[in-house]
Amino acid sequence: MNKELRRKKRYQAEKRFQVYGIIAISLALFFVGLLVFKVFSEGTSAFSRTMIKVPITFNAEKLGITNINDNDEVENADYYTLVYEQFVKNYPYSNDEEEKQIIKLLSPDYEFEAKNYFLQNRNQLNKTVTLLFTASDDFDQLHKGNFPRDIPEERRRLSNYQLNIYDQFLKEGKIEKIFNNYLFSKGDSRDPELAGFGGAILGSLFTILICLLISFPIALSAAVYLEEFAPKNKLTDLIEININNLAAVPSIVFGLLGLGVLLNVFELPRSTALVGGITLSLMTLPRIIIPARASLKAVPPSIREGALAVGASKVQTVFHHVVPLAMPGTLSGTIIGLAQALGETAPLLLIGMVAFVVELPGSPMDPSASLPVQVYLWSESAERGFVEKTSATIMMLLGFLIVMNSLAVYARQKFEKKWN
Amino acid sequence: MKKLNIILSVAAALVITTYASARDQIKIVGSSTVYPYATVVAEKFGKSGKFKTPVIESTGTGGGMKLFCAGVGTNHPDITNASRAIKSKEKALCEKNGVKDIVEIVVGNDGISFAHSVKAKDANFTKEQLWRALAHDVDVNGKLVANPYKKWSDIDKSLPNKAIKIMVPPPTSGTRDAWNSLVMGKGCSKAAKDAFKAAGKKAKKACAKLREDGLAIEAGENDTLIVNKLSADPDMFGLFGYSYLIANKDKIKATAVNGVKPSLKGIQDYSYPIARPLFFYVKKAHIGVVPGIHEYLKEFTANKTMGPKGYLTDIGLVPLSSDKYKTTRTSALKLTTIKAN
């Protein structure tokens, strides 16, 4: 084989390798793009809510209010019948079945929506105002174009009669799309149009806070002791190996630990962010210790020697000089560890954080869901409206992760000292 | 270091305070089939404003019973949903752990639908055909063999010439329990039962054993996933509660079993052959300790909830017949406990 040919072959090999690399990267990008596209195309519609405009007269007699200043009376007035009667008037019906079909176009929360408006606008008694009521899930999905109309009636969620009402309402301009604030302010609900991930966000925040409070100080002390004070012997080597192994233990194992120890032995309350946070902190510990040790190691010995030379004690050296310099690396490690904990579902399933929780949690001791678990719960629900809600929750979760990861990058780049 | 101490002590304080906190919120666990109904009732109950909304966890009937029977006290759930009646083994477990007085509430009826994609042709199966399609061992010419059927037409010439593909719920699910007793048990041929007995096995258990050659696909508790799989593959069948059929009728349809398709009336009078009652069980010792339990029972058993025109029927619950409803309502009002073993 002559030289020329061999060189050509080597060049070809290099070219081939580059092509493989480009193919691998574009494949990876393609799949990420596909995922993001699917999530966004399904999820964006969840950020709007379909409303129906209905003129409502707050008739004192119908409400049963005799004295507008009597809070008890205003609170307990019959808003249900008031809205019901005035809403079904919007379209002609000939029997009970059709009447039922009309009222089903409204979300079951209409009485509370009317009540909340009236409580703030008491001067509207006996006056007529046009209110926006949340439309039912089926109506909402129809308006967003997620329900096919051209299939036989018995297989549709909405009857021909209801479709006619929709068409007429649309023509009369009674349908409006608004920003879905419920999505952020409400907890779970069985009516997709009333469900929100507000409870899940709070649950996630509490969980992460508990996780941070527990894992960060312990991990930092462990890392400082192991790196700066502990003697190097077989025992500390063994501990080091175990910490590294612990970081690779599947998260579900920590869930079992949480179930067995925290719930069964310590009898902490099930389904709470407290237990979730403690369980996740066990998982996060080694993931903080490792980067913390690495950044302590990266602080040059001259810093320590300088401090010791001017008479500082070992503890002063470590806490006044070494730890502050190692902080950027430790912090970014912590944030990435927490971001992983935020996206974790498996351990939370075992400690019961998969519950249906309507009320927003007020403290880590209240039962709550978390964002990834909310994705899991909604993906299981039968109602069609939860499909877009699931994707919207994934978008929210991705947003949180991106923010946390950029924080980590920022912490590293802004505060890190270069030693050259 | 001072900061660290403060943080640590705050964390410790958080842990300690939980020991003292009593629960003011009903906790419910159990069946994923009853879950959709229970959550709707819980939400309405919470909106009525007097009590907090109960927290409901879907653990499957078996898992719920285990948690429910683990003991008395606010760390244990107050109510467990079940898609079958409590077993005597579970009663014994409850008894052992001090859960003595249990109130049983029959919620309504559910029909298990054997369903497939709307794109597929309508089908009708007998219970025996379904058993033959799913069982681990079947009888062929009087002999017990490992299930040889790969296509529906292998079982019976009149059935379509298509591969058998069935998604089944996991063993922890109450739907599976009910399916085992109503289809696998009743559809099991006499020849096979005799052969099982002759081999010294329990016929009931042996009949219900599913084939393990990959044609019966065990799915998770995620019924929505099954619906999506079915709509993607017209040859595939799946089984789940009636409410999923109602909610997804543009994607899937039910097959007839013994010539009967699932319908509200058919499930209520059990003329549809795979119908079953749904339950929940209440720990009587918790009533008065955790606020709102008795009121929740009243809300659940009210006529506007589970009656013939109640709001649960809108999402697929099949209401009880009127005499059964009266019994349930009475036991909810009077808190009648079930008998121990």
Side-chain angles (χ1 to χ4, degrees):
Chain A
M1 212 185 280
N2 62 32
K3 261 188 186 167
E4 194 63 21
L5 200 66
R6 277 211 310 249
R7 194 170 65 197
K8 213 174 158 192
K9 269 204 156 160
R10 288 210 319 263
Y11 282 162
Q12 275 173 346
E14 189 192 326
K15 230 180 217 146
R16 270 203 307 276
F17 180 75
Q18 287 195 4
V19 171
Y20 294 152
I22 290 170
I23 290 176
I25 290 174
S26 19
L27 259 183
L29 280 180
F30 171 74
F31 283 118
V32 170
L34 199 69
L35 176 85
V36 170
F37 174 75
K38 188 175 180 296
V39 167
F40 274 73
S41 60
E42 265 180 7
T44 33
S45 61
F47 289 93
S48 64
R49 184 151 50 102
T50 307
M51 308 294 278
I52 305 178
K53 267 190 214 164
V54 189
I56 293 287
T57 312
F58 286 99
N59 188 321
E61 205 179 313
K62 275 266 153 60
L63 283 168
I65 295 176
T66 46
N67 176 10
I68 188 66
N69 295 320
D70 183 346
N71 277 334
D72 208 39
E73 228 171 52
V74 178
E75 279 278 344
N76 297 317
D78 186 4
Y79 300 96
Y80 175 85
T81 320
L82 182 90
V83 180
Y84 184 102
E85 282 178 354
Q86 301 190 37
F87 182 68
V88 292
K89 272 196 310 206
N90 280 283
Y91 199 81
Y93 58 92
S94 50
N95 54 36
D96 284 358
E97 177 53 32
E98 287 185 349
E99 185 182 344
K100 204 173 159 191
Q101 287 191 20
I102 298 179
I103 196 66
K104 271 195 182 163
L105 297 176
L106 276 190
S107 163
D109 245 12
Y110 57 82
E111 53 173 315
F112 300 105
E113 290 179 331
K115 182 175 163 181
N116 286 342
Y117 173 81
F118 189 68
L119 285 180
Q120 280 160 21
N121 302 279
R122 295 190 188 202
N123 53 351
Q124 300 293 343
L125 194 67
N126 289 327
K127 285 180 196 151
T128 305
V129 276
T130 306
L131 290 186
L132 284 175
F133 287 97
T134 306
S136 75
D137 168 42
D138 290 334
F139 195 87
D140 184 47
Q141 292 299 310
L142 176 75
H143 189 59
K144 286 170 178 169
N146 294 343
F147 269 145
R149 290 184 63 155
D150 49 3
I151 53 175
E153 187 176 7
E154 73 272 11
R155 273 170 37 203
R156 250 188 273 123
R157 294 276 300 161
L158 292 167
S159 66
N160 286 338
Y161 179 72
Q162 286 172 312
L163 286 186
N164 289 340
I165 303 177
Y166 169 76
D167 291 337
Q168 172 149 359
F169 278 10
L170 201 60
K171 218 166 51 197
E172 292 169 355
K174 279 187 179 162
I175 303 175
E176 210 170 279
K177 251 190 199 177
I178 62 163
F179 174 69
N180 193 357
N181 56 331
Y182 282 1
L183 193 61
F184 296 90
S185 63
K186 291 212 172 200
D188 202 353
S189 167
R190 280 310 313 268
D191 298 300
E193 70 275 13
L194 301 174
F197 47 53
I201 290 182
L202 279 178
S204 270
L205 285 180
F206 283 136
T207 312
I208 290 303
L209 192 72
I210 298 271
C211 182
L212 176 72
L213 282 181
I214 295 174
S215 60
F216 183 68
I218 297 180
L220 190 63
S221 340
V224 168
Y225 179 75
L226 281 176
E227 203 52 53
E228 303 291 332
F229 296 96
K232 295 273 175 282
N233 56 25
K234 282 215 168 122
L235 184 68
T236 46
D237 280 352
L238 188 74
I239 290 174
E240 176 165 3
I241 292 171
N242 273 307
I243 288 174
N244 289 343
N245 282 339
L246 214 53
V249 169
S251 56
I252 189 110
V253 176
F254 293 103
L256 281 171
L257 187 74
L259 175 70
V261 176
L262 298 174
L263 293 184
N264 293 347
V265 177
F266 290 110
E267 304 207 324
L268 294 177
R270 238 180 119 79
S271 320
T272 54
L274 177 75
V275 179
I278 299 176
T279 309
L280 290 178
S281 70
L282 298 177
M283 191 190 88
T284 318
L285 265 178
R287 293 178 186 175
I288 303 180
I289 295 180
I290 294 168
R293 288 190 67 181
S295 35
L296 285 169
K297 218 178 248 166
V299 177
S302 54
I303 302 279
R304 296 185 184 84
E305 283 154 11
L308 290 171
V310 295
S313 71
K314 183 87 195 192
V315 172
Q316 282 174 324
T317 311
V318 169
F319 285 100
H320 294 177
H321 301 275
V322 181
V323 171
L325 287 171
M327 234 3 149
T330 313
L331 278 182
S332 74
T334 308
I335 295 171
I336 286 172
L338 288 180
Q340 268 174 340
L342 178 73
E344 202 55 69
T345 330
L348 300 184
L349 300 186
L350 285 173
I351 54 135
M353 270 182 96
V354 273
F356 173 75
V357 187
V358 175
E359 272 138 19
L360 301 180
S363 79
M365 266 75 82
D366 291 334
S368 62
S370 77
L371 280 171
V373 168
Q374 195 68 66
V375 172
Y376 172 80
L377 278 174
W378 282 348
S379 72
E380 271 193 336
S381 300
E383 286 82 4
R384 195 63 59 78
F386 282 121
V387 174
E388 57 175 35
K389 291 266 151 51
T390 308
S391 293
T393 319
I394 297 174
M395 285 160 73
M396 200 65 207
L397 189 59
L398 285 178
F400 264 110
L401 293 180
I402 290 172
V403 168
M404 288 181 79
N405 283 324
S406 350
L407 262 180
V409 172
Y410 179 77
R412 206 165 37 221
Q413 294 196 332
K414 176 88 183 177
F415 302 108
E416 196 165 44
K417 282 227 166 72
K418 295 266 188 290
W419 308 102
N420 43 18
Chain B
M1 209 49 189
K2 255 184 198 160
K3 262 187 201 160
L4 280 190
N5 282 334
I6 292 169
I7 291 170
L8 277 175
S9 48
V10 167
L14 275 178
V15 174
I16 291 159
T17 46
T18 49
Y19 275 90
S21 73
R23 187 151 59 81
D24 57 352
Q25 208 165 20
I26 303 175
K27 275 224 161 163
I28 303 173
V29 292
S31 162
S32 59
T33 313
V34 186
Y35 177 85
Y37 308 124
T39 43
V40 167
V41 178
E43 204 177 336
K44 290 247 180 199
F45 179 69
K47 273 180 191 156
S48 69
K50 288 186 202 87
F51 299 97
K52 278 191 165 181
T53 313
V55 171
I56 304 175
E57 204 184 321
S58 160
T59 59
T61 305
M65 286 290 177
K66 225 171 125 188
L67 287 168
F68 181 77
C69 288
V72 176
T74 47
N75 265 311
H76 303 287
D78 312 309
I79 295 174
T80 184
N81 299 323
S83 52
R84 54 160 170 78
I86 188 168
K87 290 180 184 167
S88 55
K89 249 190 222 165
E90 290 160 346
K91 274 189 206 165
L93 177 71
C94 270
E95 188 96 349
K96 202 185 107 206
N97 291 327
V99 185
K100 294 226 165 65
D101 292 327
I102 303 171
V103 182
E104 180 186 75
I105 305 288
V106 189
V107 173
N109 298 301
D110 181 37
I112 302 178
S113 332
F114 192 65
H116 56 164
S117 162
V118 288
K119 284 172 245 157
K121 265 192 193 158
D122 280 345
N124 176 24
F125 301 105
T126 65
K127 280 189 178 177
E128 184 172 340
Q129 286 165 347
L130 290 175
W131 170 72
R132 282 186 185 278
L134 278 167
H136 190 272
D137 298 303
V138 294
D139 61 299
V140 180
N141 302 327
K143 264 193 207 157
L144 209 56
V145 290
N147 197 333
Y149 308 118
K150 302 282 176 209
K151 289 180 176 173
W152 288 102
S153 53
D154 295 345
I155 299 174
D156 193 303
K157 292 260 154 33
S158 66
L159 294 177
N161 181 18
K162 280 187 177 154
I164 297 174
K165 270 187 276 181
I166 304 169
M167 309 265 291
V168 290
T172 46
S173 122
T175 310
R176 173 83 168 266
D177 285 340
W179 178 266
N180 281 350
S181 69
L182 291 170
V183 178
M184 302 303 279
K186 297 223 170 97
C188 195
S189 71
K190 199 173 171 303
K193 276 185 190 159
D194 292 343
F196 284 134
K197 274 181 204 150
K201 290 186 203 163
K202 272 191 185 162
K204 199 176 145 203
K205 216 171 171 185
C207 284
K209 190 166 183 211
L210 289 192
R211 63 195 306 174
E212 284 158 351
D213 53 0
L215 300 186
I217 307 149
E218 204 162 278
E221 291 266 7
N222 192 333
D223 289 335
T224 311
L225 187 82
I226 304 184
V227 169
N228 285 337
K229 288 231 167 114
L230 294 188
S231 75
D233 182 353
D235 291 348
M236 199 181 267
F237 292 88
L239 47 109
F240 31 76
Y242 189 62
S243 64
Y244 275 82
L245 191 73
I246 297 292
N248 292 287
K249 59 184 179 179
D250 58 330
K251 283 187 176 173
I252 53 167
K253 63 180 177 187
T255 64
V257 176
N258 290 352
V260 188
K261 280 200 171 191
S263 66
L264 270 180
K265 203 175 164 303
I267 293 169
Q268 191 176 34
D269 59 15
Y270 299 114
S271 63
Y272 176 66
I274 347 180
R276 54 162 174 183
L278 301 173
F279 305 86
F280 66 82
Y281 293 89
V282 187
K283 224 173 261 178
K284 203 173 175 183
H286 283 195
I287 294 174
V289 178
V290 178
I293 298 182
H294 200 185
E295 287 77 4
Y296 174 77
L297 294 194
K298 284 180 195 157
E299 165 82 26
F300 211 127
T301 54
N303 201 32
K304 65 167 177 148
T305 310
M306 56 188 255
K309 283 189 175 167
Y311 55 80
L312 289 184
T313 60
D314 291 345
I315 54 167
L317 183 79
V318 180
L320 295 168
S321 56
S322 66
D323 50 329
K324 277 188 191 154
Y325 172 72
K326 271 179 205 145
T327 328
T328 283
R329 180 73 179 163
T330 326
S331 52
L333 293 178
K334 295 197 173 150
L335 301 172
T336 328
T337 53
I338 51 171
K339 287 193 187 84
N341 291 321

